[in-house]
C-alpha cells in the first residue's frame, strides 16, 4: 500500500542497534554495526530503518498511539476491556497510581522503545556523516530527515516524562552514561528544537517518496514544540506564564505551512481515518504501515490492537478504549449549533433527542449508529465487553473494519496497515488559532477555528443508515463574531481541540500545556464516578501526575544519576 522503500524496510529489520543505556555496550551475535554499512545503498537502508523505528512500539510499550497516555489518562475515555484487572497497568494509569512494580515495567517499556528509535537515528547519522557529499549527494537531506526523526522521539519523551536525558550521535557509550536527566526545561526544549531547525534548513519543501519528512513537516513540528514551550512551567509543573515571543514563532511557523498551500483540510474528516484516503492533503507527517508487502504479517499498527469491539463476530477482542460519558456529552450542541460549554455534563445526554456535533459519529461507537462507515452492520451494545463497568460506548477513529484491505488478524489480536498521522493540517490551524488567542489577537483565530467547524458540519456523507437517515440529530454552526472575546475564544479553542482530536490521545497533553489538568480531571472524576463507580478512588495530584515517573530501573542502572520526577 505504500511506496517508501519497502525492500529497505525488510532489510533494516535485520539490523539491531542499541536501544537504551543498558544495551549500548552489547552487540548481539550476527548483528551489524554502522561500520559494516558504508555504501550509499546500505546507508539508505539505515535511514529507512530509522523511519521504521518510530513505528516500532507495542501494546504495552506504546510510542505513537497515545490512547493510554493521552486519552484514558484524560476525560475522553475509560480503559475498557474485561474489567479493571484486565491489563491492570492501564487501570492504574487511569487512576493516576503510577508507583506499582508492574507499572514501572510498563512505563520503562515505552521509555526503552523510544530510546530504540533515538538509537537508530544516531547510528544512521554517524553512518551518513562517514560519507562525503560527492559520494552521497543526498547527505544533507538524509541528515535533515534523521534529525527530524530523532527530534520526534525526544519530543514524545518530553511530553511523557518531562525530565529526560538528551544526547546526540557524537556521544560515546561512556558519554551517554554520564548524561543526566536534570536539565533546565527551556534548555531541553531548545535541544530538541535544534534538530527540527536543522531539518527546516536542509530539507526540500516536498519529497518524491511518501512518508519522508520535508521542510514544511519540520516547520509544523517545530511550531508544536514552541507552543508547548510557550507555557512556562515551574519545577512542580504549574504554568506560571506564557511566552509571547514563542507564540509569535508559532504564528510564523504555521503561516509558512498554511501559505505554502501544499496542505489543506480534507472535505470529510473521515478521510483522516481510512486507508483508502491516507496520505491525503491533510496529512503532514504520518508513520507508514504496510500489508501484503512480501512479509508474513506486514508492518502493522498493533498499538491500537486491543481496541476493537469485543462481541462483534468479525473481531472478537478486546473491547478496550471505551469513550467516556463526559466525552459523549461534550459533543452535544445548543439551538444555535454551538457547544453546551457550561451545561454539557449536567446530566446524561439523551442522544435520541439531543442535537450533536457531527464528529460524535466519527468518534464513538453507539448502539444503532453506523460504525466505521459500514451501514450494513450498525454498532450494537452486544459488541461491548463489560458494559457493567465501562458503559456501552466504544472507540472508532483508529480502528478499521474487518473487511478493510488494511486489516489483519494475528491470533486473538488485530493490526492495521492504516498510516498513523503524527501531524495533520487541522492541528496546524488550531495551533495558529491558539497562538493568536494568547497573543490577544483572537479575531484572527475565529476564521481558523470556523474552518474546522465548517468541515465537521459537512462530514456527513458516510454516516447515513441504509434508509438514508442519520442516527443522530446534527446541529453544528460556526462561531459568530459577536461576543468573541479572548476568554470566550480560549474556551472555544480548547473545546474545538477536544472534539477534533477526541480519543486520538491529544487531550491529556493539551490539559497539561494549558495548566488546567488538575481542575479539569478532578471535576471530571467527581461526576463520572457516580456513573462509573470503578473511578471511585481516582484522584489527580497536581505537581506529580502531569508526567510519568522516570522508570526506577533506569535510576538504579545509572546509580542515581537520573533523578525521579516530583511526587514519586
Amino acid at each position: 500500500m505504500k511506496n517508501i522503500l519497502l525492500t529497505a524496510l525488510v532489510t533494516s529489520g535485520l539490523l539491531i542497534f542499541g536501544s537504551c543505556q543498558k544495551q549500548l555496550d552489547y552487540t548481539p551475535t550476527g548483528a551489524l554495526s554502522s561500520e559494516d554499512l558504508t555504501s550509499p545503498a546500505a546507508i539508505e537502508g539505515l535511514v529507512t530503518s530509522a523511519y521504521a523505528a518510530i513505528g516500532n512500539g507495542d501494546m504495552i510499550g506504546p510510542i505513537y498511539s497515545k490512547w493510554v497516555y493521552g486519552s484514558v489518562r484524560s476525560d475522553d475515555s475509560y480503559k475498557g476491556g474485561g474489567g479493571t484487572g484486565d491489563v491492570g497497568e492501564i487501570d492504574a494509569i487511569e487512576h493516576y497510581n503510577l508507583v506499582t512494580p508492574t507499572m514501572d515495567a510498563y512505563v520503562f517499556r515505552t521509555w526503552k522503545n523510544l530510546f530504540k528509535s533515538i538509537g537508530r537515528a544516531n547510528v544512521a547519522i554517524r553512518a551518513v556523516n562517514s560519507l562525503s557529499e560527492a559520494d552521497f549527494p543526498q547527505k544533507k537531506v538524509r541528515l535533515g530527515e534523521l534529525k527530524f526523526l530523532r527530534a520526534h522521539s525526544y519530543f514524545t519523551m518530553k511530553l511523557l516524562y518531562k525530565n529526560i536525558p538528551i544526547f546526540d550521535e557524537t556521544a560515546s557509550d561512556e558519554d551517554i552514561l554520564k548524561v543526566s536527566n536534570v536539565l533546565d526545561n527551556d534548555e531541553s526544549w531548545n535541544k530538541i528544537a535544534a534538530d527540527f531547525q536543522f531539518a527546516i534548513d536542509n530539507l526540500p519543501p516536498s519529497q518524491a517518496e511518501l512518508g519522508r519528512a520535508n521542510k514544511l513537516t519540520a516547520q509544523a513540528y517545530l511550531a508544536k514544540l514552541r507552543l508547548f514551550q510557550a507555557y512556562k512551567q515551574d519545577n512542580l509543573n504549574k504554568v506560571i506564564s506564557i511566552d509571547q515571543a514563542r507564540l509569535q514563532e508559532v504564528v510564523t511557523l504555521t503561516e509558512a505551512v498554511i501559505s505554502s498551500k501544499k496542505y489543506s483540510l480534507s472535505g470529510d474528516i473521515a478521510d483522516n481515518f481510512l486507508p483508502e484516503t491516507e496520505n491525503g492533503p491533510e496529512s503532514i507527517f504520518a508513520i507508514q504501515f504496510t500489508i501484503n508487502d512480501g512479509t508474513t504479517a506486514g508492518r502493522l499498527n498493533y498499538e491500537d490492537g486491543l481496541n476493537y469491539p469485543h462481541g462483534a463476530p468479525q473481531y472478537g477482542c478486546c473491547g478496550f478504549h471505551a469513550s467516556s460519558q463526559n466525552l459523549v456529552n461534550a459533543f452535544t450542541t445548543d439551538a444555535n449549533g454551538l457547544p453546551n460549554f457550561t451545561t454539557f455534563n449536567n446530566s446524561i445526554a439523551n442522544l435520541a433527542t439531543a442535537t450533536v456535533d457531527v464528529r460524535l459519529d466519527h468518534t464513538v461507537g453507539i448502539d444503532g449508529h453506523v460504525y466505521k462507515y459500514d451501514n450494513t452492520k450498525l454498532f450494537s451494545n452486544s459488541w461491548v465487553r463489560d458494559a457493567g463497568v465501562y458503559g456501552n460506548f466504544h472507540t472508532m477513529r483508529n480502528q478499521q473494519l474487518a473487511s478493510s484491505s488494511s486489516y489483519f488478524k494475528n491470533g486473538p489480536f488485530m493490526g492495521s496497515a492504516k498510516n498513523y498521522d503524527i501531524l495533520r493540517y487541522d492541528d496546524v490551524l488550531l495551533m495558529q488559532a491558539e497562538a493568536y488567542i494568547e497573543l490577544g489577537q483572537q479575531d484572527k483565530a475565529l476564521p481558523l477555528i470556523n474552518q474546522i467547524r465548517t468541515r465537521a458540519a459537512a462530514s456527513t456523507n458516510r454516516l447515513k443508515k441504509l434508509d438514508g437517515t442519520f442516527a443522530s440529530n446534527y446541529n453544528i454552526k460556526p462561531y459568530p463574531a459577536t461576543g468573541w472575546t479572548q476568554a470566550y475564544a480560549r474556551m472555544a479553542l480548547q473545546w474545538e481541540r477536544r472534539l477534533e482530536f477526541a480519543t486520538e490521545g491529544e487531550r491529556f497533553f493539551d490539559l497539561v500545556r494549558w495548566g488546567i489538568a488538575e481542575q479539569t480531571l478532578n471535576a471530571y472524576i467527581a461526576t463520572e464516578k457516580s456513573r462509573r463507580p470503578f473511578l471511585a478512588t481516582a484522584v489527580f495530584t497536581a505537581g506529580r501526575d502531569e508526567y510519568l515517573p522516570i522508570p526506577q530501573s533506569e535510576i538504579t542502572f545509572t546509580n542515581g544519576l537520573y533523578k525521579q520526577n516530583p511526587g514519586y
Side-chain angles (χ1 to χ4, degrees):
M1 298 172 69
K2 321 293 189 297
N3 66 355
I4 179 171
L5 299 177
L6 296 184
T7 302
L9 272 172
V10 174
T11 302
S12 68
L14 303 175
L15 308 176
I16 303 174
F17 305 114
S19 59
C20 64
Q21 292 89 325
K22 294 182 181 180
Q23 296 175 312
L24 286 172
D25 57 354
Y26 171 65
T27 302
T29 302
L32 300 176
S33 69
S34 55
E35 288 76 18
D36 299 315
L37 297 159
T38 56
S39 72
I43 287 176
E44 286 284 17
L46 284 176
V47 176
T48 306
S49 178
Y51 273 102
I54 66 170
N56 282 354
D58 52 55
M59 291 179 185
I60 59 171
I63 60 173
Y64 54 85
S65 173
K66 297 192 286 290
W67 73 270
V68 172
Y69 296 130
S71 186
V72 171
R73 202 158 47 136
S74 78
D75 48 0
D76 271 8
S77 302
Y78 317 129
K79 174 183 75 69
T84 57
D86 189 8
V87 192
E89 292 86 354
I90 304 178
D91 179 73
I93 288 170
E94 187 167 13
H95 284 77
Y96 311 105
N97 180 16
L98 303 178
V99 293
T100 66
T102 57
M103 177 55 59
D104 186 70
Y106 191 104
V107 170
F108 168 68
R109 192 153 177 166
T110 292
W111 175 285
K112 180 179 72 172
N113 284 337
L114 285 163
F115 266 119
K116 284 181 180 178
S117 63
I118 291 164
R120 282 206 194 181
N122 282 337
V123 166
I125 290 170
R126 287 195 292 268
V128 171
N129 277 328
S130 71
L131 295 182
S132 67
E133 285 193 65
D135 292 331
F136 191 41
Q138 290 293 312
K139 180 175 180 176
K140 286 185 178 179
V141 171
R142 296 296 179 253
L143 285 175
E145 293 175 50
L146 290 167
K147 292 192 177 186
F148 173 90
L149 295 173
R150 183 171 66 189
H152 158 72
S153 295
Y154 272 131
F155 177 84
T156 303
M157 291 198 75
K158 181 78 174 162
L159 290 189
L160 292 173
Y161 304 96
K162 186 178 183 178
N163 297 305
I164 59 172
I166 300 176
F167 50 86
D168 64 17
E169 74 284 356
T170 64
S172 67
D173 295 356
E174 293 75 19
D175 293 335
I176 290 170
L177 292 174
K178 298 175 184 176
V179 177
S180 172
N181 72 322
V182 179
L183 194 66
D184 176 78
N185 205 36
D186 260 346
E187 186 179 354
S188 61
W189 279 127
N190 288 337
K191 281 179 176 288
I192 303 169
D195 273 353
F196 283 134
Q197 188 60 55
F198 183 94
I200 291 169
D201 294 339
N202 289 277
L203 290 177
S206 62
Q207 300 238 44
E209 290 175 309
L210 294 175
R212 291 195 184 275
N214 62 50
K215 180 185 183 76
L216 297 169
T217 303
Q219 287 173 313
Y221 219 142
L222 182 56
K224 189 157 194 170
L225 182 150
R226 294 305 192 197
L227 184 60
F228 274 88
Q229 186 181 12
Y231 292 79
K232 301 292 186 182
Q233 295 181 351
D234 65 15
N235 290 335
L236 292 178
N237 312 324
K238 181 180 179 180
V239 175
I240 54 176
S241 64
I242 304 177
D243 189 321
Q244 302 291 290
R246 293 299 186 202
L247 293 175
Q248 189 57 55
E249 284 186 72
V250 174
V251 170
T252 301
L253 289 161
T254 53
E255 187 56 34
V257 178
I258 294 168
S259 63
S260 75
K261 300 190 183 302
K262 178 179 172 63
Y263 303 102
S264 61
L265 293 177
S266 300
D268 191 323
I269 193 174
D271 291 341
N272 294 318
F273 311 113
L274 291 169
E276 295 82 6
T277 46
E278 64 187 14
N279 290 323
E282 197 163 346
S283 179
I284 292 177
F285 183 68
I287 298 172
Q288 306 286 310
F289 289 107
T290 64
I291 197 167
N292 299 324
D293 57 8
T295 61
T296 302
R299 172 173 167 71
L300 305 174
N301 165 19
Y302 284 109
E303 288 194 12
D304 293 302
L306 294 173
N307 300 344
Y308 287 83
H310 184 73
Q314 63 268 43
Y315 301 112
C317 187
C318 293
F320 282 69
H321 199 191
S323 297
S324 73
Q325 183 66 57
N326 182 287
L327 176 65
V328 171
N329 287 351
F331 281 103
T332 62
T333 58
D334 64 17
N336 297 314
L338 300 177
N340 292 306
F341 289 119
T342 58
T343 62
F344 80 102
N345 206 36
N346 286 353
S347 61
I348 293 175
N350 182 345
L351 297 181
T353 58
T355 58
V356 297
D357 188 306
V358 175
R359 287 169 290 189
L360 172 67
D361 286 325
H362 292 273
T363 306
V364 183
I366 302 169
D367 189 52
H369 291 228
V370 175
Y371 184 77
K372 202 61 189 183
Y373 317 122
D374 180 2
N375 61 9
T376 67
K377 298 183 184 68
L378 302 182
F379 189 86
S380 168
N381 284 344
S382 66
W383 296 8
V384 176
R385 187 173 182 183
D386 198 339
V389 175
Y390 297 111
N392 283 306
F393 299 127
H394 199 66
T395 190
M396 187 190 326
R397 288 195 179 187
N398 286 322
Q399 275 45 70
Q400 298 301 320
L401 294 173
S403 58
S404 170
S405 60
S406 70
Y407 174 87
F408 185 85
K409 190 166 186 178
N410 192 355
F413 302 116
M414 278 69 73
S416 166
K418 163 69 175 66
N419 288 353
Y420 196 93
D421 281 312
I422 301 299
L423 274 173
R424 295 200 306 261
Y425 187 71
D426 52 355
D427 201 357
V428 170
L429 292 177
L430 291 176
M431 284 191 286
Q432 186 175 89
E434 183 175 338
Y436 275 137
I437 290 167
E438 298 305 332
L439 286 167
Q441 302 174 47
Q442 60 269 13
D443 288 351
K444 294 181 178 179
L446 179 60
L448 297 167
I449 295 174
N450 279 341
Q451 282 187 59
I452 301 291
R453 291 186 67 79
T454 299
R455 190 272 295 278
S459 299
T460 59
N461 287 342
R462 293 183 174 95
L463 303 178
K464 291 180 181 178
K465 297 193 291 184
L466 281 174
D467 63 4
T469 64
F470 298 107
S472 296
N473 305 305
Y474 301 129
N475 185 21
I476 172 174
K477 298 292 193 301
Y479 292 104
T482 303
W484 189 254
T485 63
Q486 184 185 43
Y488 186 90
R490 182 182 294 118
M491 180 171 61
L493 178 281
Q494 292 178 357
W495 209 271
E496 207 62 31
R497 282 199 64 88
R498 185 182 191 187
L499 302 191
E500 184 69 6
F501 306 112
T503 71
E504 294 185 62
E506 295 293 320
R507 175 67 170 168
F508 180 84
F509 305 103
D510 283 346
L511 293 174
V512 171
R513 179 174 77 254
W514 297 326
I516 61 173
E518 189 274 336
Q519 67 191 69
T520 301
L521 296 178
N522 282 333
Y524 156 72
I525 292 165
T527 300
E528 207 78 356
K529 67 183 179 183
S530 66
R531 301 164 178 167
R532 306 287 181 258
F534 80 91
L535 285 171
T537 61
V539 61
F540 183 95
T541 301
R544 181 192 70 184
D545 293 333
E546 293 86 356
Y547 297 95
L548 299 175
I550 305 301
Q552 183 59 44
S553 50
E554 290 295 276
I555 295 173
T556 302
F557 178 71
T558 61
N559 295 316
L561 175 65
Y562 291 176
K563 303 303 179 184
Q564 187 55 272
N565 282 333
Y568 290 107

